[in-house]
Amino acid sequence: MTDESFELKVVDVVEETTDAYSISFEVPPGAEEQFAYKPGQFLTLAVPSDRTGVAARCYSLSSSPGDGGPLTITVKRTADGYASNWLCDHVREGDTVRMLPPSGIFTPASLDADLLLFAGGSGITPVMSITRTALRQGGGRIVLFYANRDERSVIFAPELSRLAAEHPDRLQVVHWLESVQGLPTQEQLKAFASAYATYDAFVCGPAPFMKLAVAALKELEFPRGRRHQEKFISLGGNPFGDLHDQEVAEHEIEDAEHDPDDADEALLGVEGDRPQGPVKLEVELDGEQYVFDDWAPGTKLLEHLESKGVKAPYSCREGECSACAVRLLEGEVKMLHNDVLDDEDIAEGIRLGCQAVPVTDTVKVTYH
Ligand SMILES: Cc1cc2nc3c(=O)[nH]c(=O)nc-3n(C[C@H](O)[C@H](O)[C@H](O)COP(=O)(O)OP(=O)(O)OC[C@H]3O[C@@H](n4cnc5c(N)ncnc54)[C@H](O)[C@@H]3O)c2cc1C
């Protein structure tokens, strides 16, 4: 496994609410290309831990690319959480933090599209980046439904008011406070979204909120291509390239294939046999076409591409974050682990590159 982590210097820390902090980082000279990002993408931080060495956690960028400012994440304390509290309590201007470059697919295909944004609590972070960027660089309308526990927990409230006042024809922000209106129901979310049925929808927030919002969008028959969601989960593994994880990764396929219970559970996506010999692989990535004829059947797509020197995107390497998502154009793969794609994603041909092993003799994929 390669470790492509960087040490970034903290240039600012801002208390947004009593339990949320924005932390800004300076990109080191020479790493500008690696740290170029799209609105809605996230960084993966190596949070120091006496217990495990590192606790790897993803944090969405709330800043907007191309505004000339530093890269900013916004971290909200999780009750009894380890990394979020460590970051809020310990990180100060002048410190350095180790991290992986931006990745993720929770990003609008076009900044000119009309956007329907649902954010709950800290789920505002990637949504804020999308809002800031679309207002500056795009031309569509933006409607934000923003749910919070109470007024004091609304992150970015003053800036959202300012942006809505500056762009009355383009941005509408609807605040939903649990303290005032109770938790939103699926019916209420559906009634709200029904006025924007042609918009591109983005949903991020606590799991129950996301479940309701996505169900409402499905009821309104938003097609999968216009329904995006970002799940905020804590990574179970460590993508920072330590030896232990590498050994685990190397034995994972073997274990899955030899333990029938694990194999039933782990080989997700499709049924199929393992090809007998090397597989022909075609990959579209960043406008380049790659063709290989020696993809070994037990090797994961991401690992094969890395062995060829291809810089394919990834973050968690555990099937938990979707930074490595590809779309199948031909052939089939199995995923050894998948915590993030739903049945509809799989039916649409989306697969996780970090977990995909081939099941057909030819496979063609494209990265978004
Ligand atoms: C794509 C993505 C984007 C995200 N964006 C954001 C964002 O913008 N803002 C935000 O606030 N959150 C975001 N998250 C969520 C974030 O990554 C974390 O899940 C969240 O901050 C909770 O992490 P935590 O460690 O505080 O809590 P938990 O993960 O709940 O902490 C408990 C876990 O930490 C372990 N633990 C306890 N003590 C230690 C120790 N000493 N050393 C090591 N491990 C320990 C425990 O075993 C347990 O597994 C995002 C997640 C994803 C996947």
PDB file of all heavy atoms in Angstrom, residues 296-326:
ATOM      1  N   ALA A 296      -4.573  -9.625 -12.042  1.00  0.00           N
ATOM      2  CA  ALA A 296      -4.689 -10.943 -11.392  1.00  0.00           C
ATOM      3  C   ALA A 296      -6.047 -11.048 -10.699  1.00  0.00           C
ATOM      4  O   ALA A 296      -6.462 -10.118  -9.999  1.00  0.00           O
ATOM      5  CB  ALA A 296      -3.565 -11.113 -10.386  1.00  0.00           C
ATOM      6  N   PRO A 297      -6.752 -12.172 -10.877  1.00  0.00           N
ATOM      7  CA  PRO A 297      -8.130 -12.302 -10.371  1.00  0.00           C
ATOM      8  C   PRO A 297      -8.321 -11.964  -8.892  1.00  0.00           C
ATOM      9  O   PRO A 297      -9.343 -11.422  -8.523  1.00  0.00           O
ATOM     10  CB  PRO A 297      -8.459 -13.765 -10.645  1.00  0.00           C
ATOM     11  CG  PRO A 297      -7.621 -14.100 -11.830  1.00  0.00           C
ATOM     12  CD  PRO A 297      -6.355 -13.314 -11.695  1.00  0.00           C
ATOM     13  N   GLY A 298      -7.353 -12.242  -8.028  1.00  0.00           N
ATOM     14  CA  GLY A 298      -7.560 -11.971  -6.600  1.00  0.00           C
ATOM     15  C   GLY A 298      -7.169 -10.572  -6.150  1.00  0.00           C
ATOM     16  O   GLY A 298      -7.295 -10.230  -4.990  1.00  0.00           O
ATOM     17  N   THR A 299      -6.672  -9.757  -7.087  1.00  0.00           N
ATOM     18  CA  THR A 299      -6.162  -8.429  -6.702  1.00  0.00           C
ATOM     19  C   THR A 299      -7.252  -7.376  -6.842  1.00  0.00           C
ATOM     20  O   THR A 299      -8.021  -7.390  -7.803  1.00  0.00           O
ATOM     21  CB  THR A 299      -4.969  -8.046  -7.614  1.00  0.00           C
ATOM     22  OG1 THR A 299      -4.008  -9.076  -7.519  1.00  0.00           O
ATOM     23  CG2 THR A 299      -4.353  -6.731  -7.200  1.00  0.00           C
ATOM     24  N   LYS A 300      -7.302  -6.471  -5.876  1.00  0.00           N
ATOM     25  CA  LYS A 300      -8.313  -5.418  -5.937  1.00  0.00           C
ATOM     26  C   LYS A 300      -7.934  -4.395  -7.020  1.00  0.00           C
ATOM     27  O   LYS A 300      -6.743  -4.149  -7.252  1.00  0.00           O
ATOM     28  CB  LYS A 300      -8.421  -4.730  -4.576  1.00  0.00           C
ATOM     29  CG  LYS A 300      -8.954  -5.665  -3.498  1.00  0.00           C
ATOM     30  CD  LYS A 300      -8.764  -5.045  -2.138  1.00  0.00           C
ATOM     31  CE  LYS A 300      -9.185  -5.996  -1.047  1.00  0.00           C
ATOM     32  NZ  LYS A 300      -8.784  -5.544   0.282  1.00  0.00           N
ATOM     33  N   LEU A 301      -8.961  -3.815  -7.622  1.00  0.00           N
ATOM     34  CA  LEU A 301      -8.750  -2.863  -8.724  1.00  0.00           C
ATOM     35  C   LEU A 301      -7.784  -1.748  -8.325  1.00  0.00           C
ATOM     36  O   LEU A 301      -6.833  -1.447  -9.054  1.00  0.00           O
ATOM     37  CB  LEU A 301     -10.103  -2.267  -9.130  1.00  0.00           C
ATOM     38  CG  LEU A 301     -10.068  -1.146 -10.163  1.00  0.00           C
ATOM     39  CD1 LEU A 301      -9.511  -1.643 -11.490  1.00  0.00           C
ATOM     40  CD2 LEU A 301     -11.462  -0.555 -10.366  1.00  0.00           C
ATOM     41  N   LEU A 302      -8.008  -1.136  -7.166  1.00  0.00           N
ATOM     42  CA  LEU A 302      -7.149  -0.031  -6.736  1.00  0.00           C
ATOM     43  C   LEU A 302      -5.696  -0.496  -6.624  1.00  0.00           C
ATOM     44  O   LEU A 302      -4.770   0.195  -7.072  1.00  0.00           O
ATOM     45  CB  LEU A 302      -7.635   0.521  -5.390  1.00  0.00           C
ATOM     46  CG  LEU A 302      -6.736   1.570  -4.731  1.00  0.00           C
ATOM     47  CD1 LEU A 302      -6.631   2.820  -5.590  1.00  0.00           C
ATOM     48  CD2 LEU A 302      -7.249   1.936  -3.338  1.00  0.00           C
ATOM     49  N   GLU A 303      -5.501  -1.671  -6.041  1.00  0.00           N
ATOM     50  CA  GLU A 303      -4.123  -2.161  -5.863  1.00  0.00           C
ATOM     51  C   GLU A 303      -3.466  -2.459  -7.203  1.00  0.00           C
ATOM     52  O   GLU A 303      -2.274  -2.188  -7.402  1.00  0.00           O
ATOM     53  CB  GLU A 303      -4.130  -3.408  -4.973  1.00  0.00           C
ATOM     54  CG  GLU A 303      -4.391  -3.038  -3.525  1.00  0.00           C
ATOM     55  CD  GLU A 303      -4.698  -4.237  -2.652  1.00  0.00           C
ATOM     56  OE1 GLU A 303      -4.664  -5.385  -3.150  1.00  0.00           O
ATOM     57  OE2 GLU A 303      -4.991  -4.024  -1.464  1.00  0.00           O
ATOM     58  N   HIS A 304      -4.234  -3.001  -8.146  1.00  0.00           N
ATOM     59  CA  HIS A 304      -3.660  -3.271  -9.468  1.00  0.00           C
ATOM     60  C   HIS A 304      -3.238  -1.962 -10.135  1.00  0.00           C
ATOM     61  O   HIS A 304      -2.129  -1.863 -10.676  1.00  0.00           O
ATOM     62  CB  HIS A 304      -4.677  -4.012 -10.343  1.00  0.00           C
ATOM     63  CG  HIS A 304      -4.134  -4.350 -11.690  1.00  0.00           C
ATOM     64  ND1 HIS A 304      -3.121  -5.274 -11.878  1.00  0.00           N
ATOM     65  CD2 HIS A 304      -4.422  -3.857 -12.916  1.00  0.00           C
ATOM     66  CE1 HIS A 304      -2.825  -5.339 -13.165  1.00  0.00           C
ATOM     67  NE2 HIS A 304      -3.588  -4.492 -13.808  1.00  0.00           N
ATOM     68  N   LEU A 305      -4.106  -0.956 -10.058  1.00  0.00           N
ATOM     69  CA  LEU A 305      -3.769   0.321 -10.695  1.00  0.00           C
ATOM     70  C   LEU A 305      -2.544   0.949 -10.023  1.00  0.00           C
ATOM     71  O   LEU A 305      -1.665   1.486 -10.686  1.00  0.00           O
ATOM     72  CB  LEU A 305      -4.965   1.273 -10.645  1.00  0.00           C
ATOM     73  CG  LEU A 305      -6.152   0.834 -11.508  1.00  0.00           C
ATOM     74  CD1 LEU A 305      -7.332   1.790 -11.335  1.00  0.00           C
ATOM     75  CD2 LEU A 305      -5.759   0.762 -12.980  1.00  0.00           C
ATOM     76  N   GLU A 306      -2.482   0.860  -8.709  1.00  0.00           N
ATOM     77  CA  GLU A 306      -1.312   1.418  -8.003  1.00  0.00           C
ATOM     78  C   GLU A 306      -0.034   0.695  -8.425  1.00  0.00           C
ATOM     79  O   GLU A 306       1.022   1.317  -8.593  1.00  0.00           O
ATOM     80  CB  GLU A 306      -1.509   1.301  -6.498  1.00  0.00           C
ATOM     81  CG  GLU A 306      -2.519   2.315  -5.978  1.00  0.00           C
ATOM     82  CD  GLU A 306      -2.753   2.192  -4.484  1.00  0.00           C
ATOM     83  OE1 GLU A 306      -2.611   1.070  -3.944  1.00  0.00           O
ATOM     84  OE2 GLU A 306      -3.083   3.210  -3.859  1.00  0.00           O
ATOM     85  N   SER A 307      -0.145  -0.627  -8.624  1.00  0.00           N
ATOM     86  CA  SER A 307       1.056  -1.397  -9.020  1.00  0.00           C
ATOM     87  C   SER A 307       1.539  -0.974 -10.404  1.00  0.00           C
ATOM     88  O   SER A 307       2.680  -1.195 -10.764  1.00  0.00           O
ATOM     89  CB  SER A 307       0.763  -2.900  -8.983  1.00  0.00           C
ATOM     90  OG  SER A 307      -0.038  -3.260 -10.098  1.00  0.00           O
ATOM     91  N   LYS A 308       0.629  -0.343 -11.177  1.00  0.00           N
ATOM     92  CA  LYS A 308       0.994   0.134 -12.519  1.00  0.00           C
ATOM     93  C   LYS A 308       1.358   1.620 -12.507  1.00  0.00           C
ATOM     94  O   LYS A 308       1.517   2.238 -13.564  1.00  0.00           O
ATOM     95  CB  LYS A 308      -0.189  -0.071 -13.480  1.00  0.00           C
ATOM     96  CG  LYS A 308      -0.611  -1.506 -13.630  1.00  0.00           C
ATOM     97  CD  LYS A 308       0.438  -2.273 -14.402  1.00  0.00           C
ATOM     98  CE  LYS A 308       0.028  -3.713 -14.597  1.00  0.00           C
ATOM     99  NZ  LYS A 308       1.101  -4.494 -15.245  1.00  0.00           N
ATOM    100  N   GLY A 309       1.375   2.208 -11.337  1.00  0.00           N
ATOM    101  CA  GLY A 309       1.739   3.625 -11.244  1.00  0.00           C
ATOM    102  C   GLY A 309       0.598   4.567 -11.582  1.00  0.00           C
ATOM    103  O   GLY A 309       0.807   5.761 -11.772  1.00  0.00           O
ATOM    104  N   VAL A 310      -0.644   4.035 -11.666  1.00  0.00           N
ATOM    105  CA  VAL A 310      -1.793   4.893 -11.968  1.00  0.00           C
ATOM    106  C   VAL A 310      -2.320   5.475 -10.661  1.00  0.00           C
ATOM    107  O   VAL A 310      -2.572   4.743  -9.705  1.00  0.00           O
ATOM    108  CB  VAL A 310      -2.920   4.076 -12.655  1.00  0.00           C
ATOM    109  CG1 VAL A 310      -4.131   4.968 -12.915  1.00  0.00           C
ATOM    110  CG2 VAL A 310      -2.415   3.458 -13.953  1.00  0.00           C
ATOM    111  N   LYS A 311      -2.473   6.789 -10.628  1.00  0.00           N
ATOM    112  CA  LYS A 311      -2.925   7.449  -9.397  1.00  0.00           C
ATOM    113  C   LYS A 311      -4.451   7.477  -9.350  1.00  0.00           C
ATOM    114  O   LYS A 311      -5.096   8.468  -9.677  1.00  0.00           O
ATOM    115  CB  LYS A 311      -2.362   8.867  -9.333  1.00  0.00           C
ATOM    116  CG  LYS A 311      -0.873   8.884  -9.006  1.00  0.00           C
ATOM    117  CD  LYS A 311      -0.448  10.271  -8.598  1.00  0.00           C
ATOM    118  CE  LYS A 311       1.020  10.358  -8.237  1.00  0.00           C
ATOM    119  NZ  LYS A 311       1.450   9.481  -7.175  1.00  0.00           N
ATOM    120  N   ALA A 312      -5.029   6.354  -8.970  1.00  0.00           N
ATOM    121  CA  ALA A 312      -6.487   6.269  -8.861  1.00  0.00           C
ATOM    122  C   ALA A 312      -6.909   6.822  -7.498  1.00  0.00           C
ATOM    123  O   ALA A 312      -6.179   6.675  -6.520  1.00  0.00           O
ATOM    124  CB  ALA A 312      -6.920   4.815  -8.999  1.00  0.00           C
ATOM    125  N   PRO A 313      -8.087   7.453  -7.430  1.00  0.00           N
ATOM    126  CA  PRO A 313      -8.512   8.026  -6.143  1.00  0.00           C
ATOM    127  C   PRO A 313      -8.877   6.971  -5.104  1.00  0.00           C
ATOM    128  O   PRO A 313      -9.357   5.890  -5.457  1.00  0.00           O
ATOM    129  CB  PRO A 313      -9.755   8.851  -6.511  1.00  0.00           C
ATOM    130  CG  PRO A 313     -10.233   8.291  -7.794  1.00  0.00           C
ATOM    131  CD  PRO A 313      -9.060   7.685  -8.491  1.00  0.00           C
ATOM    132  N   TYR A 314      -8.653   7.277  -3.859  1.00  0.00           N
ATOM    133  CA  TYR A 314      -9.071   6.401  -2.763  1.00  0.00           C
ATOM    134  C   TYR A 314      -9.006   7.221  -1.484  1.00  0.00           C
ATOM    135  O   TYR A 314      -8.390   8.278  -1.441  1.00  0.00           O
ATOM    136  CB  TYR A 314      -8.158   5.169  -2.626  1.00  0.00           C
ATOM    137  CG  TYR A 314      -6.782   5.501  -2.088  1.00  0.00           C
ATOM    138  CD1 TYR A 314      -6.540   5.516  -0.713  1.00  0.00           C
ATOM    139  CD2 TYR A 314      -5.749   5.837  -2.943  1.00  0.00           C
ATOM    140  CE1 TYR A 314      -5.280   5.839  -0.215  1.00  0.00           C
ATOM    141  CE2 TYR A 314      -4.500   6.161  -2.456  1.00  0.00           C
ATOM    142  CZ  TYR A 314      -4.265   6.163  -1.084  1.00  0.00           C
ATOM    143  OH  TYR A 314      -3.036   6.497  -0.593  1.00  0.00           O
ATOM    144  N   SER A 315      -9.620   6.706  -0.452  1.00  0.00           N
ATOM    145  CA  SER A 315      -9.374   7.280   0.864  1.00  0.00           C
ATOM    146  C   SER A 315      -9.275   6.162   1.886  1.00  0.00           C
ATOM    147  O   SER A 315      -8.204   5.788   2.314  1.00  0.00           O
ATOM    148  CB  SER A 315     -10.441   8.299   1.241  1.00  0.00           C
ATOM    149  OG  SER A 315     -10.143   8.798   2.515  1.00  0.00           O
ATOM    150  N   CYS A 316     -10.429   5.577   2.270  1.00  0.00           N
ATOM    151  CA  CYS A 316     -10.400   4.671   3.427  1.00  0.00           C
ATOM    152  C   CYS A 316      -9.773   3.314   3.104  1.00  0.00           C
ATOM    153  O   CYS A 316      -9.236   2.672   3.979  1.00  0.00           O
ATOM    154  CB  CYS A 316     -11.812   4.469   3.967  1.00  0.00           C
ATOM    155  SG  CYS A 316     -12.853   3.416   2.937  1.00  0.00           S
ATOM    156  N   ARG A 317      -9.867   2.858   1.871  1.00  0.00           N
ATOM    157  CA  ARG A 317      -9.411   1.535   1.427  1.00  0.00           C
ATOM    158  C   ARG A 317     -10.159   0.411   2.128  1.00  0.00           C
ATOM    159  O   ARG A 317      -9.706  -0.728   2.141  1.00  0.00           O
ATOM    160  CB  ARG A 317      -7.895   1.343   1.665  1.00  0.00           C
ATOM    161  CG  ARG A 317      -7.020   2.438   1.131  1.00  0.00           C
ATOM    162  CD  ARG A 317      -5.556   2.100   1.312  1.00  0.00           C
ATOM    163  NE  ARG A 317      -5.151   1.151   0.313  1.00  0.00           N
ATOM    164  CZ  ARG A 317      -4.442   1.457  -0.770  1.00  0.00           C
ATOM    165  NH1 ARG A 317      -4.053   2.673  -0.975  1.00  0.00           N
ATOM    166  NH2 ARG A 317      -4.127   0.523  -1.643  1.00  0.00           N
ATOM    167  N   GLU A 318     -11.302   0.713   2.710  1.00  0.00           N
ATOM    168  CA  GLU A 318     -12.031  -0.280   3.515  1.00  0.00           C
ATOM    169  C   GLU A 318     -13.447  -0.489   3.005  1.00  0.00           C
ATOM    170  O   GLU A 318     -14.245  -1.149   3.661  1.00  0.00           O
ATOM    171  CB  GLU A 318     -12.133   0.222   4.964  1.00  0.00           C
ATOM    172  CG  GLU A 318     -10.831   0.504   5.641  1.00  0.00           C
ATOM    173  CD  GLU A 318     -10.278  -0.716   6.347  1.00  0.00           C
ATOM    174  OE1 GLU A 318     -11.071  -1.600   6.686  1.00  0.00           O
ATOM    175  OE2 GLU A 318      -9.058  -0.792   6.530  1.00  0.00           O
ATOM    176  N   GLY A 319     -13.820   0.142   1.897  1.00  0.00           N
ATOM    177  CA  GLY A 319     -15.200   0.028   1.422  1.00  0.00           C
ATOM    178  C   GLY A 319     -16.171   0.835   2.242  1.00  0.00           C
ATOM    179  O   GLY A 319     -17.355   0.521   2.319  1.00  0.00           O
ATOM    180  N   GLU A 320     -15.680   1.908   2.854  1.00  0.00           N
ATOM    181  CA  GLU A 320     -16.539   2.671   3.772  1.00  0.00           C
ATOM    182  C   GLU A 320     -16.819   4.101   3.338  1.00  0.00           C
ATOM    183  O   GLU A 320     -17.628   4.779   3.950  1.00  0.00           O
ATOM    184  CB  GLU A 320     -15.888   2.707   5.169  1.00  0.00           C
ATOM    185  CG  GLU A 320     -15.869   1.362   5.845  1.00  0.00           C
ATOM    186  CD  GLU A 320     -15.064   1.358   7.134  1.00  0.00           C
ATOM    187  OE1 GLU A 320     -14.314   2.316   7.359  1.00  0.00           O
ATOM    188  OE2 GLU A 320     -15.186   0.382   7.889  1.00  0.00           O
ATOM    189  N   CYS A 321     -16.097   4.596   2.305  1.00  0.00           N
ATOM    190  CA  CYS A 321     -16.259   6.029   2.054  1.00  0.00           C
ATOM    191  C   CYS A 321     -16.639   6.418   0.623  1.00  0.00           C
ATOM    192  O   CYS A 321     -17.073   7.540   0.424  1.00  0.00           O
ATOM    193  CB  CYS A 321     -14.983   6.780   2.439  1.00  0.00           C
ATOM    194  SG  CYS A 321     -13.681   6.694   1.205  1.00  0.00           S
ATOM    195  N   SER A 322     -16.450   5.579  -0.356  1.00  0.00           N
ATOM    196  CA  SER A 322     -16.831   5.825  -1.761  1.00  0.00           C
ATOM    197  C   SER A 322     -15.912   6.764  -2.542  1.00  0.00           C
ATOM    198  O   SER A 322     -16.230   7.127  -3.666  1.00  0.00           O
ATOM    199  CB  SER A 322     -18.279   6.313  -1.890  1.00  0.00           C
ATOM    200  OG  SER A 322     -18.368   7.705  -1.698  1.00  0.00           O
ATOM    201  N   ALA A 323     -14.778   7.149  -1.957  1.00  0.00           N
ATOM    202  CA  ALA A 323     -13.850   8.016  -2.705  1.00  0.00           C
ATOM    203  C   ALA A 323     -13.329   7.323  -3.962  1.00  0.00           C
ATOM    204  O   ALA A 323     -12.923   7.977  -4.908  1.00  0.00           O
ATOM    205  CB  ALA A 323     -12.673   8.412  -1.821  1.00  0.00           C
ATOM    206  N   CYS A 324     -13.336   5.984  -3.958  1.00  0.00           N
ATOM    207  CA  CYS A 324     -12.740   5.218  -5.055  1.00  0.00           C
ATOM    208  C   CYS A 324     -13.794   4.712  -6.037  1.00  0.00           C
ATOM    209  O   CYS A 324     -13.509   3.836  -6.843  1.00  0.00           O
ATOM    210  CB  CYS A 324     -11.986   4.026  -4.479  1.00  0.00           C
ATOM    211  SG  CYS A 324     -13.100   2.940  -3.562  1.00  0.00           S
ATOM    212  N   ALA A 325     -15.023   5.255  -5.967  1.00  0.00           N
ATOM    213  CA  ALA A 325     -16.130   4.710  -6.767  1.00  0.00           C
ATOM    214  C   ALA A 325     -15.832   4.765  -8.267  1.00  0.00           C
ATOM    215  O   ALA A 325     -15.302   5.755  -8.771  1.00  0.00           O
ATOM    216  CB  ALA A 325     -17.408   5.474  -6.463  1.00  0.00           C
ATOM    217  N   VAL A 326     -16.180   3.681  -8.949  1.00  0.00           N
ATOM    218  CA  VAL A 326     -16.066   3.626 -10.411  1.00  0.00           C
ATOM    219  C   VAL A 326     -17.434   3.208 -10.958  1.00  0.00           C
ATOM    220  O   VAL A 326     -18.272   2.696 -10.220  1.00  0.00           O
ATOM    221  CB  VAL A 326     -15.029   2.584 -10.876  1.00  0.00           C
ATOM    222  CG1 VAL A 326     -13.639   2.959 -10.437  1.00  0.00           C
ATOM    223  CG2 VAL A 326     -15.385   1.170 -10.396  1.00  0.00           C
TER     224      VAL A 326
END
